[in-house]
Amino acid sequence: MIKKIKGFADLLPPVSNTYAFMEQTAARVFSLYGYDELRLPVLERTELFARGIGEETDVVQKEMYTFPDRKGRSLTMRPEATAGAVRAYIENKLYADAGSVTKLYTYGPMFRYERPQKGRMRQFHQIDVEAFGSPAAILDAEVILMLGHFLTEIGLDKLSFEINSLGCRDCRPIYLKTLADFLATLPEEELCEDCRRRKASNPLRVLDCKVPRCKELTADAPQLSEHCCSGCKDHFAAVLDPINASGLAYTINPRLVRGLDYYTRTTFEVVSGDIGSQSSVAGGGRYDGLISALEGPDLPGVGFACGMERLALLLQDIKPVQPDFFFVVLDGSGLSASLELAQTLRRAGLSGVTALEAKSAKSQFRQADKTNARFCLILGESECESRTVAVKNMESGQQETIPMADLADYLNAR
RNA sequence: GUGGCUGUAGCUCAGUUGGUAGAGCACCUGGUUGUGGCCCAGGUGGCCGUGGGUUCAAGUCCCAUCAGUCACCCCA
């Protein structure tokens, strides 16, 4: 038997209905904020991600599905949506007639070659939002509030928001130097193995280490909020003001680090304690240098992505829609008539299914019961002859004989 | 890439110190020759993940392998 490959999943009902619900809710909520849908390719040139996400990131270095096409060009299955969205924004010159801001959302599968575990698949799904072209702090705040609005609409209003600022292209390098100097003063042998490596490769990550001893050692580490430039300080305050006014609960997490190189200034994350170790259900932030780094105009951007697998872990699975009617046929003569009648009812807006073979009445009624149909429509020999249908209300058990011609009106009235 | 745990019916799982494979749910049929749910009776369904080894005998013990899962790491 051919089986699916590791880290890839079939999304079956009722889980698939939950995904549809998330997508539909996202589309509805985001449109309230002026966002339009963007649909992007799943494959891009490898270089897009290498330059967009950062050559040194784990995602690029060891997690991408990369392979040559038939002409030897290196292609990559997208590991996230932002780089592709920025590429589309530049390539289609959406900045030309957009006024001050271009608001887009997209959703779909992403691919990362990682060891699967709870909340982490190799093919996973994100709902992604990008707002290009404006440096306004109020836009950062709006994006965060919109994420909160969306989560509330899908029934998740108890999640924790964490917000931080990572500084800008000017002040972050200075801070990183300060941090590196501080880390160099720590006793090397007392740091965990990972942190010894991260000290050089990704110093911000050391602040995020979960090992207790590392936490102690870095307790007095210099904080970016004290070392960033006045522009970044003002920006961060201007982001928090409207969020405070909105009543959205959040914490400032000065150790909140994003793994993708492009983030600047505002970053945020939504975490849940109920879904295992992969606790981050959404994350995002501002990326003011990304568009120019991909050879577009020097315009800023802000956005976020939600992990649909992780949200689905928090949502009850939504049941498939229930049909209104089920056709019971008692002999072969009713079979073709039942389909014809069912088509009439469907065109009249009623949903339902027909029996596909004339098995015993008991068996057909059992089948009808399983579909949760509200009515059974019974077509036997006598009904076919008199051009009527026996309609049984499955809840009350009562049954009436209705002329075929009146069937749609009769059912629609109930 | 590293580690832990688990692989027995469609699903959830029992299976004693090794002795020829079980339950519940689901499914099918009947109890009502044209009427569901509840109940009752019966039934279908397993290379016990795969390969090798030990043994008179392996679901059970040993080795390997594959798969799943959780965690590290990383991220949404």
Side-chain angles (χ1 to χ4, degrees):
Chain A
M1 180 174 58
I2 299 174
K3 302 206 293 187
K4 64 183 183 298
I5 59 183
K6 184 196 278 285
F8 287 66
D10 301 315
L11 296 179
L12 310 171
V15 177
S16 51
N17 297 291
T18 304
Y19 279 69
F21 167 70
M22 287 189 272
E23 291 167 354
Q24 288 156 10
T25 304
R28 179 169 57 77
V29 172
F30 298 163
S31 73
L32 297 172
Y33 293 76
Y35 286 77
D36 283 307
E37 185 177 356
L38 176 68
R39 300 199 186 204
L40 293 168
V42 164
L43 273 181
E44 298 273 5
R45 314 287 296 229
T46 300
E47 191 188 4
L48 172 67
F49 302 115
R51 285 168 50 195
I53 299 171
E55 295 276 6
E56 301 307 314
T57 59
D58 276 19
V59 170
V60 170
Q61 293 238 313
K62 37 187 201 194
E63 295 174 3
M64 295 207 300
Y65 275 92
T66 295
F67 50 87
D69 72 2
R70 289 177 183 276
K71 289 192 174 172
R73 292 171 292 220
S74 182
L75 305 183
T76 293
M77 310 276 287
R78 62 182 183 187
E80 53 102 54
T82 299
V86 170
R87 195 223 80 237
Y89 175 72
I90 298 168
E91 187 169 347
N92 297 287
K93 299 185 167 57
L94 299 182
Y95 46 82
D97 59 356
S100 64
V101 66
T102 303
K103 292 175 161 181
L104 298 165
Y105 71 90
T106 188
Y107 50 77
M110 311 291 160
F111 305 85
R112 292 183 198 175
Y113 192 94
E114 300 181 89
R115 278 289 278 278
Q117 67 186 74
K118 190 176 187 181
R120 189 173 81 183
M121 291 287 113
R122 288 182 175 179
Q123 176 178 328
F124 59 104
H125 300 80
Q126 289 188 336
I127 295 171
D128 184 86
V129 164
E130 311 291 349
F132 299 121
S134 168
I138 197 171
L139 179 62
D140 302 26
E142 187 185 74
V143 162
I144 291 168
L145 293 176
M146 184 172 82
L147 173 57
H149 187 168
F150 164 67
L151 293 171
T152 301
E153 287 291 307
I154 61 172
L156 304 176
D157 51 2
K158 300 276 193 295
L159 296 170
S160 345
F161 276 69
E162 298 187 353
I163 306 178
N164 190 25
S165 174
L166 292 180
C168 62
R169 283 170 281 179
D170 295 328
C171 62
R172 181 150 55 156
I174 299 169
Y175 168 71
L176 287 177
K177 177 74 170 63
T178 310
L179 179 61
D181 290 346
F182 168 83
L183 293 176
T185 68
L186 297 178
E188 174 108 16
E189 63 284 357
E190 291 190 46
L191 286 171
C192 75
E193 198 181 323
D194 290 320
C195 282
R196 268 177 265 163
R197 173 176 51 78
R198 285 189 284 230
K199 223 166 62 167
S201 65
N202 194 349
L204 284 172
R205 278 262 165 234
V206 179
L207 302 182
D208 201 32
C209 186
K210 295 163 198 79
V211 176
R213 183 60 186 150
C214 293
K215 281 185 173 175
E216 287 173 31
L217 288 168
T218 58
D220 306 324
Q223 304 233 325
L224 184 111
S225 54
E226 291 148 16
H227 290 76
C228 65
C229 63
S230 61
C232 285
K233 277 182 188 157
D234 293 346
H235 184 91
F236 196 38
V239 171
L240 296 181
D241 269 349
I243 294 175
N244 290 334
S246 79
L248 179 77
Y250 69 94
T251 57
I252 293 177
N253 178 359
R255 304 196 165 206
L256 174 64
V257 173
R258 311 262 70 224
L260 278 35
D261 282 358
Y262 51 64
Y263 287 110
T264 57
R265 290 195 162 169
T266 316
T267 59
F268 53 92
E269 200 166 297
V270 180
V271 296
S272 165
D274 300 324
I275 55 172
S277 72
Q278 304 300 308
S279 58
S280 173
V281 300
R286 180 162 277 285
Y287 43 86
D288 288 348
L290 180 58
I291 297 170
S292 59
L294 292 172
E295 294 167 44
D298 188 11
L299 290 170
V302 57
F304 65 79
C306 293
M308 295 178 73
E309 278 73 9
R310 295 177 189 180
L311 291 175
L313 289 173
L314 292 163
L315 295 175
Q316 283 198 318
D317 292 332
I318 294 166
K319 291 280 187 298
V321 289
Q322 300 175 355
D324 295 315
F325 65 80
F326 183 91
F327 258 102
V328 174
V329 296
L330 297 160
D331 54 52
S333 63
L335 276 174
S336 63
S338 74
L339 179 56
E340 191 185 328
L341 265 176
Q343 289 299 91
T344 305
L345 298 178
R346 288 161 180 159
R347 283 191 214 98
L350 290 153
S351 60
V353 294
T354 64
L356 298 175
E357 49 188 327
K359 292 196 289 192
S360 75
K362 180 172 188 162
S363 156
Q364 292 190 60
F365 274 93
R366 275 188 183 150
Q367 205 181 330
D369 202 50
K370 264 175 285 174
T371 68
N372 284 314
R374 293 171 61 218
F375 301 98
C376 268
L377 311 182
I378 303 151
L379 259 187
E381 204 175 339
S382 59
E383 286 84 2
C384 283
E385 274 172 23
S386 61
R387 303 291 297 165
T388 61
V389 176
V391 178
K392 176 169 182 174
N393 182 319
M394 292 300 278
E395 200 180 335
S396 68
Q398 299 200 329
Q399 194 165 315
E400 290 186 71
T401 299
I402 308 295
M404 285 182 184
D406 301 342
L407 196 51
D409 289 342
Y410 175 87
L411 293 176
N412 263 325
R414 263 135 249 265

